[in-house]
Amino acid sequence: MMDERTNDTVAAPGGAIRLHKQLDALWGTPGGWGRLAAVNHTIVGRRFIATAFVFFGIGGILAMLIRAQLATPRSAFLQPEIYNQVFTMHGTVMMFLFAIPMFEGFAIYLLPKLLGTRDMAFPRLGAYGYWCYLFGGSMLLIAMAVGLAPNGGWFMYTPLSSRVYTPGINSDIWLIGITFVEISALSAAVEIIATILKTRAPGMSLDKMPLLAWYLLVTAFMMLFGFPPLILGSILLEVERAFDLPLFDPTRGGDALLWQHLFWLFGHPEVYIIFLPAAGMVSTILPVLARREIIGYSAIVISIVALAFLSFGLWVHHMFTVGIPHLALAFFSSASTAVAVPTAVQIFAWIGTLAAGRPQLKLPMLYLLGFFSVFVIGGLTGVMLAIVPFNWQVHDTHFVVAHLHYVLVGGFVFPMLAAAYYWLPHFTGRVPRHSLGVPAFWLIIVGFNVTFLVMHLTGLLGMPRRIHGYGAETGWEWPNLVSSVGSFVMAIGFALFTVDVLLHWLHGKRSARNPWRAGTLEWAIAVPPTNYAFASLPDVATRAPLQERPDLGNHLARGGGYLGFVRNGWLETLGVDVMSGRVEQIVRLPNQTMLPLFTALVTGVFFVSVLFKLYVVALLALPAIVAMLLAWTPVSGERRDHGALPIGNGAEAVLHSEARSPPSLWAMGLTLAADATAFASLAFGILFLWVVAPNWPPPSMIGWAPWGVALSAGGLVTGFIAGRIATLRGVVRSGRRREAALAIALLGQIVALLGLADVILAVPPPTQHAYGAATTIILIYAGLHAALAAVFAGFGIWRSRAGYVSQTRTVDLRIGALWSDYTAAIGIATLLIVYGLPLVMG
């Protein structure tokens, strides 16, 4: 126990057992229906992993249906419409409902344990993301069960996915369901970045982080900047389908290639978003089984960052045959080839570690060797596809399908299977038995290569992808039959893996802590882990703390680290400086609550209402979502200043509400970075249509709205200035002055909304030409941000009057000011685009 007024730790009677009981009473999750309120990272991470594995099984069954259809010529196994739904759902499930959520689950489960902290920075955000993922994925599965599954491919190319060619709701289900699911991905990205940067163990500077944390950090940044273009594209396509806005219709000034640009701005980084977490697991598991520290830590970190940057410059790699200029072809071909260099750096580091160590051929190592063999083949065929003349020959053939599976299955599934066996003792607290693990491995790797190695030949023989059937005269019969047989062998291997894991879970013997003798912190806690992970937090001085101090786990369990006590019923962990890992603050975390579940349900009401064209209900759901999110805030602040509080070992820190750089401020900055990416993608789309799309210039241009421009610009600038004034030290000291500044900011945003509405009235009808549609959308985009800025200003007034704001507790005001700053920036940029672009483009 701890008296918050002193620096003295009061030893808890009963030692470690009493400390455990006290922490478990605070951090534990009740059983029954109360478990739905869980926000603890261990429970949420397990839910993600289990749900993603179920989706993986469903995606595998769909793959078996595809292979059964293609096993013989002119097969009548599946009708064309059903086949289109099956192959669309297979790709959708594997890309959106398995790979990314599986990575999210492992990250949420492992990160706090790797970093020596008690939970993620925003536990409720992780729980909300899970429910959004579950509900969005369920929408797609229900649609498949009733015969309304998406049928336009997991890429939804326009114009085939437009209302003219796909009149049903199949495509709408994909667009709305995937957008719903992507809320989960962006939530995870924000949470992962904030957790890694701000809630590591004391002393864990960036250069002492485990490599897996580096991989997850870079991946989360890629998600933050990679997913907004897809979300924006999905919204634009749904708006076109629902309201006939011709953004992708070339007859009215749109362009179908705009969808491809937006989709592949997400789609190519997506490949590396899937690969990098798996590579991080390779970099974690391989040194342990090789019994040697990994070679080239710094080189690997640099290569990860380089890979992330390069991946965003490769999206046209998927569009070599659409007719882009030759100079662009040369640039993107070179970039696609260059991306192999940072990947090779990692592979050579792994091989060097194996060569310099004493590898143990245990089951996780078998899957790592399988990963090496499969992924290298995928990388080689990737370099082949980067060469434009060869790409032209095999584009949209089964050669590309084979390459894709060698990269994704080799680069993700094999490392994930190795990770499953490596961390199973951590999940279950039981010793691995692996009675079926070895035969499962051989069935999977043999079946996989038989399936997809032959598929390269099928593609070279000219077989297109996405076709329902083929004739016997094509010569494709025997390779397709071999591929289908191989796929069923692989499916048997995955079934054996599932049975092996279940037997391990049910009948394995109890495992000791750290059975692999690893050096990372996740093995310093009890297995299976407690809800609070660490009874006290370590002070980290090396990259492998357990190798330096094997008894560290017992020391922490006895409360010998930081926060080895219970104080005021608070759930506490520590926040640190981003670079050095120096302790900055005590982060108070929320306990279990149903709010994430209820907020996800209201969010689901919005998406379902949009799907069934119940737009009045959808409009009512939007403020309800905002209200539900605001309901999270009363427990996230303090009504009085506490000053510096003891954290153990003679050290002190302030609460995060009084800190200069709390995680919540970082979360807002990261959210705005993602939002800015979406806005930049929208601006790119407008410029693309001006330059490339047919039927330009438009028949009529936007009229000058002097009052609208003046009101919107003036209101945005007023909101920005008043929001910033409210955060000044002298103003914050006086409750009346800060509330007056916030009231002026609120009024400014309302004036800006009125001005933007006046400008929208001057826009040509949005259904006549893509110019009017795009201009209307970007103005509405700016208006929505002004409306939310008004909400933030009103929220600041409420928090101020409720006592959550003081001279030291200003984080609520600073968060609102960040949003108003950003709103002013994109609002002014919107007016410049709307009125300046027509002048520049003539």
Side-chain angles (χ1 to χ4, degrees):
M1 293 178 289
M2 174 73 71
D3 183 346
E4 71 170 58
R5 296 166 298 178
T6 72
N7 288 333
D8 299 324
T9 302
V10 181
I17 295 177
R18 183 172 179 81
L19 177 59
H20 163 75
K21 289 181 178 179
Q22 291 173 337
L23 289 169
D24 194 58
L26 278 178
W27 293 78
T29 300
W33 290 104
R35 202 158 179 84
L36 294 175
V39 298
N40 180 270
H41 78 281
T42 297
I43 296 173
V44 173
R46 285 173 172 170
R47 285 175 176 170
F48 264 107
I49 292 168
T51 307
F53 190 77
V54 170
F55 279 119
F56 177 69
I58 294 170
I61 292 170
L62 295 173
M64 295 303 97
L65 296 177
I66 295 171
R67 288 315 319 170
Q69 171 66 24
L70 297 178
T72 57
R74 296 191 175 90
S75 173
F77 180 68
L78 295 175
Q79 295 302 310
E81 172 60 22
I82 299 299
Y83 180 81
N84 287 341
Q85 292 187 23
V86 167
F87 93 77
T88 299
M89 282 298 295
H90 168 67
T92 299
V93 167
M94 291 305 197
M95 296 292 284
F96 297 103
L97 303 182
F98 162 62
I100 296 297
M102 181 65 79
F103 142 67
E104 293 172 37
F106 265 98
I108 290 172
Y109 178 87
L110 277 177
L111 259 180
K113 303 171 179 68
L114 274 171
L115 299 175
T117 187
R118 283 177 172 160
D119 209 329
M120 301 292 284
F122 308 108
R124 292 177 297 183
L125 186 61
Y128 172 68
Y130 170 75
W131 294 117
C132 288
Y133 160 55
L134 179 64
F135 296 156
S138 298
M139 285 176 59
L140 293 163
L141 292 186
I142 292 170
M144 184 170 63
V146 298
L148 293 174
N151 54 3
W154 68 275
F155 36 80
M156 281 292 154
Y157 281 167
T158 56
L160 294 178
S161 57
S162 66
R163 178 71 66 185
V164 175
Y165 298 101
T166 313
I169 68 168
N170 304 63
S171 295
D172 299 305
I173 291 170
W174 189 94
L175 295 167
I176 292 169
I178 291 302
T179 303
F180 195 3
V181 170
E182 295 317 310
I183 293 176
S184 170
L186 286 180
S187 300
V190 170
E191 188 176 26
I192 289 168
I193 295 170
T195 298
I196 294 174
L197 294 182
K198 294 302 297 180
T199 62
R200 306 190 301 273
M204 186 182 284
S205 57
L206 288 180
D207 64 331
K208 293 186 181 71
M209 284 202 312
L211 271 175
L212 180 54
W214 272 109
Y215 277 97
L216 296 178
L217 177 64
V218 173
T219 303
F221 269 112
M222 292 177 69
M223 291 169 63
L224 198 72
F225 296 113
F227 281 86
L230 173 65
I231 295 173
L232 174 72
S234 299
I235 293 172
L236 295 182
L237 183 52
E238 179 58 28
V239 165
E240 175 174 292
R241 290 176 56 84
F243 303 109
D244 195 33
L245 301 190
L247 294 161
F248 305 102
D249 181 2
T251 65
R252 290 180 288 166
D255 196 313
L257 285 184
L258 175 59
W259 168 261
Q260 287 199 39
H261 281 289
L262 293 175
F263 182 85
W264 290 116
L265 275 169
F266 145 82
H268 201 87
E270 161 83 346
V271 174
Y272 299 99
I273 289 170
I274 291 173
F275 165 68
L276 281 178
M281 291 171 185
V282 174
S283 294
T284 302
I285 300 168
L286 187 141
V288 175
L289 298 182
R291 292 179 285 185
R292 194 210 187 280
E293 182 181 356
I294 195 163
I295 292 174
Y297 177 98
S298 299
I300 291 174
V301 172
I302 293 170
S303 71
I304 300 167
V305 176
L307 191 63
F309 275 105
L310 286 171
S311 70
F312 281 95
L314 305 181
W315 79 93
V316 179
H317 172 90
H318 298 267
M319 301 171 61
F320 282 167
T321 61
V322 302
I324 63 175
H326 284 185
L327 182 61
L329 285 176
F331 172 81
F332 286 104
S333 177
S334 301
S336 299
T337 306
V339 79
V341 175
T343 307
V345 169
Q346 297 170 66
I347 292 175
F348 285 126
W350 297 328
I351 294 172
T353 302
L354 284 174
R358 293 171 295 153
Q360 301 168 291
L361 197 60
K362 296 186 177 181
L363 190 54
M365 182 63 80
L366 270 182
Y367 282 100
L368 293 185
L369 295 176
F371 151 75
F372 282 126
S373 62
V374 172
F375 183 73
V376 168
I377 293 175
L380 292 174
T381 55
V383 173
M384 294 168 67
L385 287 169
I387 308 304
V388 175
F390 183 80
N391 188 291
W392 283 349
Q393 300 303 313
V394 299
H395 190 80
D396 270 348
T397 70
H398 270 222
F399 188 95
V400 178
V401 177
H403 159 72
L404 177 68
H405 284 82
Y406 265 88
V407 170
L408 295 184
V409 176
F412 184 76
V413 175
F414 277 95
M416 291 301 290
L417 293 172
Y421 279 116
Y422 178 77
W423 276 293
L424 262 177
H426 204 289
F427 280 79
T428 66
R430 298 183 182 276
V431 177
R433 298 184 61 168
H434 306 329
S435 54
L436 299 176
V438 174
F441 165 77
W442 289 111
L443 286 171
I444 291 171
I445 195 165
V446 171
F448 174 84
N449 282 288
V450 169
T451 302
F452 294 104
L453 193 62
V454 176
M455 201 175 288
H456 289 97
L457 175 62
T458 315
L460 292 173
L461 291 174
M463 182 175 179
R465 61 199 300 192
R466 309 171 192 134
I467 61 171
H468 166 258
Y470 56 92
E473 70 281 357
T474 58
W476 304 335
E477 180 177 3
W478 75 263
N480 272 294
L481 181 60
V482 170
S483 288
S484 295
V485 171
S487 69
F488 281 91
V489 171
M490 180 171 53
I492 294 171
F494 281 115
L496 279 181
F497 164 79
T498 306
V499 172
D500 192 39
V501 171
L502 290 175
L503 290 175
H504 161 88
W505 199 298
L506 296 174
H507 303 294
K509 295 181 181 179
R510 295 295 299 175
S511 172
R513 186 184 296 171
N514 198 6
W516 303 105
R517 297 184 181 179
T520 44
L521 285 172
E522 79 271 25
W523 297 107
I525 62 177
V527 292
T530 57
N531 287 308
Y532 53 82
F534 292 89
S536 60
L537 304 185
D539 190 355
V540 174
T542 66
R543 293 173 189 161
L546 290 186
Q547 288 182 359
E548 179 189 35
R549 187 173 178 182
D551 67 334
L552 180 61
N554 293 327
H555 173 73
L556 298 177
R558 291 192 297 266
Y562 295 102
L563 296 180
F565 49 81
V566 171
R567 170 172 42 204
N568 299 338
W570 293 347
L571 279 66
E572 296 179 321
T573 193
L574 293 177
V576 300
D577 174 70
V578 171
M579 299 296 294
S580 67
R582 175 181 49 83
V583 176
E584 283 186 338
Q585 57 199 281
I586 301 167
V587 180
R588 274 194 63 192
L589 299 174
N591 211 330
Q592 59 265 10
T593 172
M594 288 286 189
L595 281 173
L597 172 58
F598 293 154
T599 308
L601 286 171
V602 176
T603 309
V605 169
F606 169 77
F607 283 105
V608 172
S609 301
V610 171
L611 176 63
F612 291 106
K613 310 297 185 287
L614 303 173
Y615 297 118
V616 174
V617 178
L619 288 174
L620 293 174
L622 280 176
I625 294 170
V626 174
M628 291 297 297
L629 291 172
L630 291 177
W632 295 21
T633 60
V635 299
S636 62
E638 302 292 332
R639 291 179 187 252
R640 70 181 180 90
D641 296 337
H642 292 273
L645 300 177
I647 59 175
N649 296 328
E652 292 183 332
V654 298
L655 289 172
H656 72 270
S657 56
E658 302 172 36
R660 294 182 58 188
S661 180
S664 53
L665 198 64
W666 278 80
M668 175 53 73
L670 294 168
T671 301
L672 293 179
D675 193 289
T677 305
F679 180 79
S681 300
L682 180 56
F684 162 79
I686 295 173
L687 182 62
F688 176 84
L689 293 177
W690 270 100
V691 174
V692 174
N695 298 308
W696 285 75
S700 59
M701 308 293 284
I702 185 172
W704 178 247
W707 282 107
V709 173
L711 287 174
S712 55
L716 290 168
V717 172
T718 300
F720 155 65
I721 294 174
R724 275 293 149 198
I725 289 175
T727 65
L728 296 177
R729 182 178 296 274
V731 176
V732 171
R733 188 179 296 115
S734 168
R736 289 184 179 181
R737 292 172 66 186
R738 67 174 177 253
E739 289 168 19
L742 291 169
I744 294 172
L746 173 60
L747 180 61
Q749 301 300 342
I750 294 174
V751 170
L753 279 170
L754 294 174
L756 289 169
D758 185 59
V759 175
I760 289 174
L761 293 176
V763 177
T767 58
Q768 291 183 2
H769 194 274
Y771 168 74
T775 304
T776 300
I777 288 171
I778 198 170
L779 287 167
I780 291 174
Y781 191 94
L784 286 174
H785 284 73
L788 285 174
V791 171
F792 273 108
F795 174 73
I797 294 172
W798 171 75
R799 294 285 274 191
S800 178
R801 291 184 174 178
Y804 289 100
V805 178
S806 73
Q807 190 171 346
T808 55
R809 288 175 284 116
T810 61
V811 61
D812 293 323
L813 302 183
R814 287 185 286 155
I815 287 173
L818 267 180
W819 187 273
S820 65
D821 296 349
Y822 175 76
T823 298
I826 67 163
I828 299 300
T830 296
L831 293 175
L832 290 174
I833 291 171
V834 168
Y835 284 104
L837 193 59
L839 296 177
V840 173
M841 304 302 293

